[in-house]
Amino acid sequence: MRLGDETPDRVESWGADPRVGDAERGREIGKGIWRIAAERLNGEHAMPWLPKHPSRHFTARLHSFSWLIDLAAVGPSANRRIAELIDAWVREHGEWDDIAWDPELTAERLYAWLCWGRPAFEHGDPEQRAALLRSAARQVRLLLVAQEELRERHLGSIKAGAALILAGAAGFPEAERLAQEGEELLIEACAKQFFPDGGHLSRAPEATVEALYDLVAACSALADPAPIIKETLPKIANMVRMLRLGDGGLGCFQGGSEGSAAAIDSVLARVVGDVRAFQFAQHTGYHRIEAGTTRVLLDVAGAPPLAYSERGHAGALSFELSSESERLTVNIGAARELEPTGRFAARTTNGHSTLTLGDALSATFDSPRRGNGPPRLVGPTLDDVRRSSDESGVTLQGRHDGYREKFGLLHRRYVFVDTEGKNLRGIDELIRPTRHKGPTPKNPVPYAARFHLHPDVRARWIEHQVALLETPGGQKWRLRTDAPDIAIEPSIYWGGKTVPRDALQIVLSGEADPMGHGLAPPNRLRWALTRHA
């Protein structure tokens, strides 16, 4: 591709990324240990570009340089490694590479270089300096010519907009144009990619905070950001606050991980505007309960808008619970760098702390929007979403039709939390609609209500239909139920800093009557979590 030869003499200023790197991972990279989510290179490699990679996804994530922030978090002792790695990439891929020069990866890489790559530009091999600056300038021009494609990448367009603004501030050729084009991308993203309550249209908490990181970094490089950007930032920040659990991380809904509590604190501290606490995100589709030191998040919406649902999860009415700074029940999560096979597995209903009927999905997967991309999520429809409170506590409820077409039943969930946050009670009902005209199964339909536990939580039986949950901090919670069967089974967690991690899940199971009304067994399931220490 012809991308011109005009090159800056130097980088005049550096981006202020609000993210906080993982120094532990950075030290691993310093030793030549390369892991991307659950995949890793065998052995130790000073340079990761030449060894055979475990997957195309692994290769792409290496080219993104998303790991550069972790290496930088080690401190000045990592400067030489930063310079060596960037110089080596320029030698191998600096002019063009079919994978590496994908516009979205290019935006990530350029953003990372302009925030965390200073040692390479100022202290790297002087003989490589011209090639490095030339490659960076060509990457900037690729973003300019690929704007239409980037607009379809959603978060990719925000990253590209931020990268162009940083390049303009750094004094790259046509600096003023770069800043203008980058700001236009961000203006369009603020107008189209967020719900009125501040949530990203993907409904993913991690996507919401990732957008916030990039917007804040971009604004730091603009003298006077456009009004729509300044107005959108505090809305996003308030949504991020709403979606945090007791440890400061985010709920793992609709793809994504907990994220870094330190990075979230960092970005929120840089957002100017009104801090507004709310407990119901009407448009993004989450309820929150704060009671004592307990935090509960409940997903009360269906799939994201179709164009944003390629990573959507079939987790309607799933919930996550934290007490003090410890997570108890979670969804299994899907770290952003998880390989596609794992990400797809995490999208199914049984990867969430909710009820599954007939081992089916509570939503459906549609054909991919682009080529061989992941399938899009459709449905279910939620209604009867309510919140009430009195002197005893808060009750949430919601109902979805994800199982109606196949089994003729609706799923309704009630969640109550007392004012002290020490008692959480739930009811799951499977309801035959009075006017249902579809097919009706002739036999009882098996159901399973899953409570995926955080990997740090241990569980064991102490009585009939009673399990004891114990946390590293000494908390003890009892889970009681009237379900016919209760089991402790293996699970997995892809929502933390290190993935995967082995975990446990408690599974409450039985069989539903296809003609049942949900007011009594077998179509009504009750459960309770009570703190005892």
Side-chain angles (χ1 to χ4, degrees), residues 253-334:
F253 296 92
Q254 295 296 321
S257 64
E258 303 168 4
S260 161
I264 295 170
D265 285 340
S266 167
V267 73
L268 292 179
R270 289 174 56 180
V271 177
V272 177
D274 293 336
V275 175
R276 187 171 65 87
F278 53 92
Q279 307 298 312
F280 178 33
Q282 178 182 359
H283 301 280
T284 306
Y286 294 100
H287 265 293
R288 172 186 180 88
I289 297 177
E290 290 187 27
T293 60
T294 295
R295 305 287 181 269
V296 174
L297 291 173
L298 178 68
D299 184 342
V300 291
L306 198 57
Y308 290 80
S309 66
E310 288 185 342
R311 291 194 174 190
H313 283 216
L317 297 180
S318 64
F319 79 102
E320 296 204 1
L321 163 68
S322 70
S323 176
E324 299 178 8
S325 62
E326 298 179 299
R327 295 182 186 228
L328 272 77
T329 63
V330 294
N331 299 315
I332 67 172

Side-chain angles (χ1 to χ4, degrees), residues 174-196:
E174 297 186 89
E176 187 174 344
R177 180 191 171 200
L178 299 181
Q180 290 174 349
E181 299 276 2
E183 190 171 14
E184 284 298 322
L185 283 173
L186 299 188
I187 290 171
E188 184 174 322
C190 287
K192 295 182 176 179
Q193 292 197 31
F194 298 93
F195 290 111

Side-chain angles (χ1 to χ4, degrees), residues 427-442:
I427 302 174
D428 288 295
E429 297 176 345
L430 292 164
I431 308 162
R432 172 81 177 183
T434 54
R435 296 182 179 180
H436 180 69
K437 296 180 180 178
T440 301
K442 296 179 179 178

Side-chain angles (χ1 to χ4, degrees), residues 216-411:
V216 166
C219 285
S220 297
L222 290 170
D224 184 19
I228 189 173
I229 299 175
K230 290 190 285 190
E231 292 164 4
T232 302
L233 282 178
K235 292 181 182 177
I236 303 174
N238 286 328
M239 177 56 66
V240 168
R241 292 184 179 97
M242 189 268 188
L243 294 169
R244 300 182 86 177
L245 289 171
D247 58 2
L250 300 169
C252 298
F253 296 92
Q254 295 296 321
S257 64
E258 303 168 4
S260 161
I264 295 170
D265 285 340
S266 167
V267 73
L268 292 179
R270 289 174 56 180
V271 177
V272 177
D274 293 336
V275 175
R276 187 171 65 87
F278 53 92
Q279 307 298 312
F280 178 33
Q282 178 182 359
H283 301 280
T284 306
Y286 294 100
H287 265 293
R288 172 186 180 88
I289 297 177
E290 290 187 27
T293 60
T294 295
R295 305 287 181 269
V296 174
L297 291 173
L298 178 68
D299 184 342
V300 291
L306 198 57
Y308 290 80
S309 66
E310 288 185 342
R311 291 194 174 190
H313 283 216
L317 297 180
S318 64
F319 79 102
E320 296 204 1
L321 163 68
S322 70
S323 176
E324 299 178 8
S325 62
E326 298 179 299
R327 295 182 186 228
L328 272 77
T329 63
V330 294
N331 299 315
I332 67 172
R336 291 187 60 78
E337 296 204 323
L338 192 63
E339 68 277 15
T341 303
R343 282 207 307 268
F344 185 73
R347 299 174 67 186
T348 58
T349 305
N350 59 19
H352 299 76
S353 291
T354 187
L355 181 142
T356 305
L357 185 61
D359 202 26
L361 300 175
S362 63
T364 57
F365 287 123
D366 197 359
S367 56
R369 184 164 58 97
R370 293 192 306 266
N372 296 320
R376 299 174 299 185
L377 192 76
V378 180
T381 299
L382 276 89
D383 65 1
D384 203 21
V385 175
R386 303 181 191 178
R387 181 189 189 100
S388 59
S389 61
D390 57 25
E391 66 279 0
S392 63
V394 177
T395 301
L396 307 178
Q397 72 177 77
R399 183 177 67 178
H400 75 76
D401 65 353
Y403 303 120
R404 179 170 181 164
E405 182 175 345
K406 190 171 184 178
F407 303 112
L409 293 170
L410 306 176
H411 173 211

